[in-house]
Amino acid sequence: MKRRLIHTNSFVEDAVNIITDAARDAIETNGIFRIGLCGGNTPKPVYSLLAKSREPIDWNKVLVTFGDERCVPPDDAQSNYRMANEAFLSHVPIPAENVHRIQGELEPEKAASDYEHVLLESAGRFSEPRYVHDLLLLGMGDDGHTASLFPETAALEETDRNVVANFVPKFDTHRITMTFPLINAARHVCFLVNDPAKESIVEKVLSGMSDYPAARVHPESGELTWLLSF
Ligand code: 6PG
């Protein structure tokens, strides 16, 4: 695994450049760009600027997945899909069938198993045992969680499935989340962290001396980037 730390004063612009560079390379190499989007607040301005990017991206060749989703309908204020759709997806001509939304409105186990099927079926079209993201965006919480892989939750121990329904005691609710096997199968994972209050957690994660969930992201044969605004 190749790891890259980028400390930047132009966080949003640099994040968009990472995405458009990855898109150009993937489409040139494989004729398709498979990106995984993260939720939360950090990526929203990145998605908005990406939608306005003058970089010529053939959106017909872009496939979108989501690293996690809250167990809410797609029009709920808490929905990661809604955030990404309002900021980005509704502004670019990605074919609807290329956007694989996690159906947070379903019963959690059903939502997870349906998404597992979508990813396995898509991976099969590429003759892959497991879906391979060209670029997977991740955020990190102030407890070191990423996607919806929260400390001391069952999903941390998943070694086979790509997607699970994970009960999160701190919220007393389920989240649907990608698992470490799927995350670590990516060609390139990029953490986007722009909150200085998370600096100490980032340092502990990068030190390798922690068992924070984010520390368990290491794409075996891929690249890991940390884009940090501090
Ligand atoms: C979510 C995200 C989650 C997020 C972190 C950071 O559904 O909330 O997937 O993993 O990336 O909690 O969130 P902020 O960007 O809002 O700090």
Side-chain angles (χ1 to χ4, degrees):
M1 175 187 81
K2 179 182 162 203
R3 192 175 83 175
R4 186 172 56 144
L5 305 184
I6 302 173
H7 301 273
T8 178
N9 294 320
S10 49
F11 180 85
V12 173
E13 293 77 6
D14 285 358
V16 169
N17 288 338
I18 288 169
I19 297 167
T20 55
D21 287 352
R24 185 189 56 247
D25 294 349
I27 291 171
E28 275 173 11
T29 308
N30 304 315
I32 195 158
F33 175 50
R34 292 184 280 179
I35 184 172
L37 301 181
C38 61
N41 299 309
T42 301
K44 193 168 181 177
V46 174
Y47 297 159
S48 296
L49 186 63
L50 178 62
K52 304 182 187 90
S53 170
R54 282 196 286 275
E55 180 72 21
I57 295 175
D58 184 347
W59 296 108
N60 286 306
K61 295 179 178 175
V62 177
L63 279 185
V64 176
T65 55
F66 292 81
D68 69 330
E69 187 54 279
R70 290 81 181 275
C71 291
V72 296
D75 59 355
D76 189 289
Q78 285 296 311
S79 166
N80 287 333
Y81 167 80
R82 172 176 162 178
M83 179 274 290
N85 189 48
E86 289 178 348
F88 166 46
L89 297 172
S90 61
H91 301 282
V92 294
I94 296 179
E97 64 271 20
N98 285 18
V99 178
H100 297 308
R101 179 178 70 86
I102 298 173
Q103 294 176 281
E105 65 276 23
L106 300 180
E107 186 273 326
E109 290 299 339
K110 172 88 166 95
S113 61
D114 284 1
Y115 209 62
E116 177 83 15
H117 176 75
V118 165
L119 292 175
L120 286 173
E121 196 258 339
S122 186
R125 285 205 294 274
F126 296 92
S127 305
E128 297 162 343
R130 195 182 296 280
Y131 191 90
V132 176
H133 289 91
D134 294 299
L135 178 63
L136 178 58
L137 303 176
L138 289 175
M140 191 193 74
D142 57 12
D143 58 359
H145 83 263
T146 190
S148 283
L149 297 164
F150 286 84
E152 299 172 25
T153 60
L156 298 179
E157 307 315 318
E158 179 60 43
T159 57
D160 177 45
R161 290 183 59 183
N162 298 292
V163 183
V164 295
N166 192 29
F167 183 72
V168 185
K170 75 187 288 189
F171 300 133
D172 191 26
T173 185
H174 283 84
R175 292 273 190 95
I176 312 301
T177 186
M178 287 186 183
T179 61
F180 288 123
L182 178 60
I183 290 170
N184 288 327
R187 290 193 178 91
H188 185 181
V189 177
C190 182
F191 276 98
L192 303 175
V193 186
N194 70 347
D195 180 352
K198 296 177 183 175
E199 185 168 7
S200 62
I201 299 275
V202 170
E203 284 169 0
K204 291 189 179 88
V205 167
L206 294 176
S207 73
M209 306 295 285
S210 78
D211 59 358
Y212 289 114
R216 293 175 56 181
V217 173
H218 40 76
E220 287 90 355
S221 55
E223 190 177 343
L224 177 60
T225 299
W226 284 82
L227 185 67
L228 307 168
S229 63
F230 45 81

